[in-house]
Amino acid sequence: MVERVDVAVVGLGAMGANALWRLAERGVSVVGFEQFTVAHPLGSSHGATRLFREACLEHPDLTPIARLAKTLYRELEAHGGEELLRITGGVMMGAPDSDVIAGTRAAASAHGLTLVDLSHDELAERYPQLAELAPTDVAVLDPGAGVAFPEPTIRAAVDRALALGAEVVENTRVLAVEAGDDGVLVRTATGEWLADRVILAQGAWLAAELPWVELQPIRTPMTWFEPRATPNAAAPDAAPASEFALDRLPVFVRQLSESEVLWGHGSVGAVAGPEKGALIKAGVGDIWQERVRIDPEQLDRGVTPADWRQVSALLAEAVPAIEPLPARVDPCMVTISPDDQFVVGRSPRHPRVIVGGGDSGHAFKHAPALGEILARFALDEPQLVDTAFIDPARFA
Ligand SMILES: Cc1cc2nc3c(=O)[nH]c(=O)nc-3n(C[C@H](O)[C@H](O)[C@H](O)COP(=O)(O)OP(=O)(O)OC[C@H]3O[C@@H](n4cnc5c(N)ncnc54)[C@H](O)[C@@H]3O)c2cc1C
């Protein structure tokens, strides 16, 4: 028997879980499919934290999406009771004309955000771990930055959707999506659903579904570090571990050269279990990286020194008080679009199909807002924010 629903959501990661929630809030009938369990560690949305920035250096029009996301994180927190987003402020560093500094300033000035310029002395006083800055580089504080907590956010969105009557089908892969005049048939090994609209939010797996856009899933390791345990030449006065907690070492993004961007934040505490929460997280910016396309089905989950060589070298240069050999490494994936912006909106191939993907390594912070945007496309409601720059049709 074919079950009829208003909307089917394929993939319950960052974008799909939030689309499910936003649709369920409207009282429409909605079913969500996830090939693994909800909040699993096999896609793009695991690993305890993601940076949140309001002055989004990747595109000025991301700022209204980040603001909408912030409101929705708070709404979701009010339902589930768990902290999903912590605002710490974020320090952006680099040459005045670097992508990081110029992009942050452009987003702030386009949307009236106040940034705080930090002199080298102020930086050293407020954030001594970040004080190793080239004399010609500058530091800018984005007070609206912080960290989002991905697994709790996805769980909270799905839980709220379930409480509102959504159906969730876990451990079930969608095998076929056939869009026709009467609806979209969604097929799994165990059943069929006929939906008025479908939202494809399949993360790295979406690349295989959209032949009209060159989406590149790439492997991106996550790396966690400890403060240097003992005094050494690079950091003779190594600071105690508490100096590396999130309230002392907030979100930072530093551009060291045209193609080298280091990001990180201090330890969060007990947020995601003792090992991850107690460590400092750092990584390199994906959109500045050389891209090697992978098949998400064949993702290499082994770890080699190639996974941390670059981030270790950048950390040793930029934050010498951190031990540059990682304490933990976990593989992850992002899916890069040709212009490094998301691919979110109505499919140019079929009006009943809505696409949510092409995260390009910077989508988690926006996830609740992207869920709202996807829900509005699915229900033909006007959008609250400009979505032209993420319209899938730009690649059709
Ligand atoms: C190391 C790293 C650091 C990052 N740092 C940041 C950051 O600081 N700030 C930020 O904003 N973003 C960051 N990101 C990016 C962010 O995590 C991603 O943009 C976001 O998680 C992508 O979400 P998604 O919904 O597209 O994919 P996912 O969350 O992976 O969801 C896709 C889901 O679809 C499911 N699926 C696929 N095919 C099927 C099918 N056929 N049937 C059923 N289910 C299916 C998958 O199992 C998966 O659960 C980072 C990513 C990585 C890897």
Side-chain angles (χ1 to χ4, degrees), residues 219-254:
R219 185 174 177 283
T220 46
M222 283 182 286
T223 35
W224 286 267
F225 299 84
E226 288 174 325
R228 284 193 193 266
T230 51
N232 59 59
D237 303 314
S242 61
E243 293 297 308
F244 295 86
L246 189 58
D247 57 343
R248 306 298 297 275
L249 176 58
V251 162
F252 66 89
V253 182
R254 174 154 168 208

Side-chain angles (χ1 to χ4, degrees), residues 302-347:
V303 169
T304 72
D307 288 329
W308 71 76
R309 221 172 259 135
Q310 187 188 17
V311 64
S312 289
L314 298 183
L315 261 185
E317 181 182 342
V319 199
I322 293 176
E323 171 61 54
L325 282 182
R328 181 176 180 122
V329 183
D330 282 355
C332 193
M333 293 180 280
V334 301
T335 305
I336 307 280
S337 83
D339 63 4
D340 300 324
Q341 301 305 333
F342 316 143
V343 182
V344 171
R346 200 165 283 117
S347 165

Side-chain angles (χ1 to χ4, degrees), residues 267-293:
S267 58
V268 179
V271 157
E275 332 94 289
K276 289 181 191 167
L279 296 170
I280 301 151
K281 194 174 187 184
V284 291
D286 302 310
I287 61 177
W288 291 271
Q289 294 296 295
E290 198 182 317
R291 291 142 192 207
V292 180
R293 188 189 168 116

Side-chain angles (χ1 to χ4, degrees), residues 14-15 34-35 40 44-45 50-51 174 220 332 359 364-365:
M15 297 196 204
E34 172 51 54
Q35 62 183 342
H40 63 85
S44 301
S45 299
R50 291 292 186 269
L51 305 196
V174 168
T220 46
C332 193
D359 72 276
F364 198 91
K365 67 179 76 57

